[in-house]
Amino acid sequence: MATHTVLICDDEAPIRRIVAAKLMSAGLAVIEAADGRQGLAAARQHKPSVIVSDYQMPELDGLAMCKTLRAAADTAQIPTILLTARGHMVPASDLDQTSIVRLMAKPFSARDLLNAVLELTGGSNSAVREAA
Amino acid sequence: MPVPPPMRAFDPTSHATRAVAERAARAGIALFSCDQGAAIPLNALAADADMIAAVAPAAGLDHPDDWTDASGTHLMTALDAQGSACLVAAVPVADGWSPTALRSAVGLLGEWRRDAVRLVDAEHTTEGFTDQLTDAFESVHLMYAVGRAMGDPRDPERVLSSGCRGLCDARRFAWAAVCVFNRPDDDLALRGRVVASGEPPIDDLEIALMAGELLRGVGGPNAGPVVGRFSQLAASGNDEVIAQPLGWDDRIVGAFLAGGRRGHDPAVSSYDTQLLEGVGRSLSAYLHACTMYRAQERMFLGTVRALTAAIDAKDRYTRGHSDRVAYLASRLAVATGQSERLAQRIHLAGLLHDVGKIGVPEAVLCKQGRLSDAEFELIKQHPTIGHNILKGITALEDVLPGILHHHERFDGRGYPDKLSGWGIPLCARLLAVADTFDAMSSNRSYRAAMPRQKVLDEIIRSAGSQLDPALAHAMVKLDLTEYDRMVTHDRDSRAAAA
């Protein structure tokens, strides 16, 4: 079974660490990016199965990054979860121009995020061994 | 896969760069920061004029590796490079360095510097974790504290106040408040009250109006928080207010609001909305419990009053008697060292002690003149009858013994069970003193009220025989001002009714 790769894009290192640790413990491969620009580069290079991204970041924010990814044929289909404390500030019309399939609010349950990612990768919690 | 360290131009003031420059100096190596033609000395050795002149041409190069200056007096090599910027190490040839040795030393310095940068990054990340964890603990602590406080429905103001204070601490709001709306048809606990914490820049009335406005159009108490802006708060620096509706079923009964965050990142985020909603739901459940508790207490006391009114209706001489016995017995309890809580239970027992008289025929109860033995036996049933009437009510379990035994005598010659001494429950001993005192102080169908001094003498005379000696002696020392006021009031209302 090929391992799925997930890109986590957030300017806060603690958030990246928490997400990476949880996803890796479930057997997923994780790539990290610290802002939208790094995220774009990483997505184009690695073509992850799922992207988890913050909204407000330096250089390029998550929404702009997702719009750019959606506009390019090779990254348009990557489903994205927007993990943000400012979800209420994202206009619904803007979401239509992205592949964002879900908004999750911070503080978040890492377990809930893992389940959401697994739904998108087609895996399930029981099928993947998860460290306690 | 970790993120590469963030792009850093070689900031001469950064900890890592200064530290490596100092190490280089100790090794006899001058260090420069070069970018776009400028060469900045980083340590004392580099401040040498000859050195600067020698390095200047290197500053214009992209990657000055193994550069030897034109005069041949200095050796140079790059320690690290990022983009157009680089760190250049230089030594006088006269010091005896070979290019290999220099490269080797500089290689070590470069590794050391990269480790130092990683360390700074790690510390920065740890600080981030510390902040996040601290915030998370504050939020969790608030939920724990509210959960604990909710166990007691008797002091809602304290619980709401600590909820407000906790929210201010956890999310750094300048102020937080709970507002319970004042609708006339509601029997809410704390109806019409605003409980606030911190330093709100507006008064309670304005808080209530703000809450009303924010919640206008909200569907019900299960909706999430609402955020709004108010111009009257602009002067305090932050005009944002967040409000969570409070309520149950489909009623919104109030709001939990906060505002005024200053400093770094003051805008409301989902960290705030999630916590406010969570705590708000707990406070709603709590207010609901308080309201039901109040209603239940009211109904209970209403029922007790109905029972005592039923007795008073049968025997007009005893109107107010139960109230006065309740008052005296509870004050006597406090005077002899009992808790206020116990005194409240004694008061309840006092209100109910003669309930059993409902089972005594009126002809006997209100007879003028002496009772026959048979009639006296009927009267003596009333403690047992009262006990039987009330024994099914669990909320009265602790006062039943007082009601059953309030006619026992200290010397064991009382009724119904001939209990004696301190085998008689305390509640019953207290009621006995109060009952006797009030009976002697009141007009009865069979004799007139006795003068105060005679009553006091009789109480003392009964110490040890009819009454508990310690309680009897405490009784005659009680302040009877309020008691006398009750007597006068009852007498006047009886006269008015006649």
Side-chain angles (χ1 to χ4, degrees), chain B residues 52-175:
Chain B
I52 295 172
V55 171
L61 294 180
D62 278 340
H63 300 287
D65 253 349
D66 281 353
W67 169 264
T68 311
D69 74 336
S71 67
T73 52
H74 293 84
L75 283 177
M76 270 156 270
T77 189
L79 187 143
D80 209 342
Q82 271 175 18
S84 65
C86 63
L87 289 177
V88 172
V91 290
V93 168
D95 281 1
W97 286 84
S98 73
T100 320
L102 181 64
R103 234 179 301 133
S104 183
V106 166
L108 284 173
L109 286 172
E111 275 173 33
W112 186 93
R113 193 194 150 271
R114 280 184 289 277
D115 284 346
V117 169
R118 266 193 288 269
L119 187 62
V120 168
D121 273 344
E123 277 170 1
H124 186 66
T125 302
T126 305
E127 268 171 40
F129 268 117
T130 305
D131 287 344
Q132 292 250 341
L133 199 55
T134 305
D135 279 355
F137 279 161
E138 291 285 357
S139 294
V140 166
H141 176 78
L142 174 57
M143 295 297 304
Y144 285 163
V146 169
R148 270 195 299 268
M150 276 169 65
D152 186 356
R154 286 172 301 174
D155 195 356
E157 189 151 337
R158 189 178 59 84
V159 172
L160 297 183
S161 176
S162 76
C164 290
R165 220 175 19 253
L167 183 68
C168 286
D169 289 343
R171 296 302 306 160
R172 291 177 292 113
F173 286 111
W175 60 271

Side-chain angles (χ1 to χ4, degrees), chain B residues 206-228:
Chain B
E206 284 187 89
I207 289 178
L209 290 171
M210 204 175 271
E213 210 180 299
L214 278 167
L215 295 191
R216 193 178 320 191
V218 167
N222 291 329
V226 174
V227 182

Side-chain angles (χ1 to χ4, degrees), chain A residues 12-18 30 32 38 46 84-86 88 105-107, chain B residues 1-4 6 122 125 128-129 132 240 265 267-271 274:
Chain A
E12 286 184 277
I15 300 289
R16 292 196 306 269
R17 292 281 196 94
I18 290 167
V30 177
E32 299 181 31
Q38 288 186 22
H46 297 278
T84 173
R86 309 270 190 229
H88 55 281
K106 292 175 181 174
Chain B
M1 191 166 88
V3 175
T125 302
F129 268 117
Q132 292 250 341
E240 241 185 345
D265 204 13
V268 163
S269 72
S270 55
Y271 284 98
Q274 295 212 62

Side-chain angles (χ1 to χ4, degrees), chain B residues 326-341:
Chain B
Y327 173 78
L328 285 176
S330 66
R331 288 309 94 203
L332 189 58
V334 169
T336 53
Q338 302 303 325
S339 68
E340 197 48 66
R341 166 120 185 86

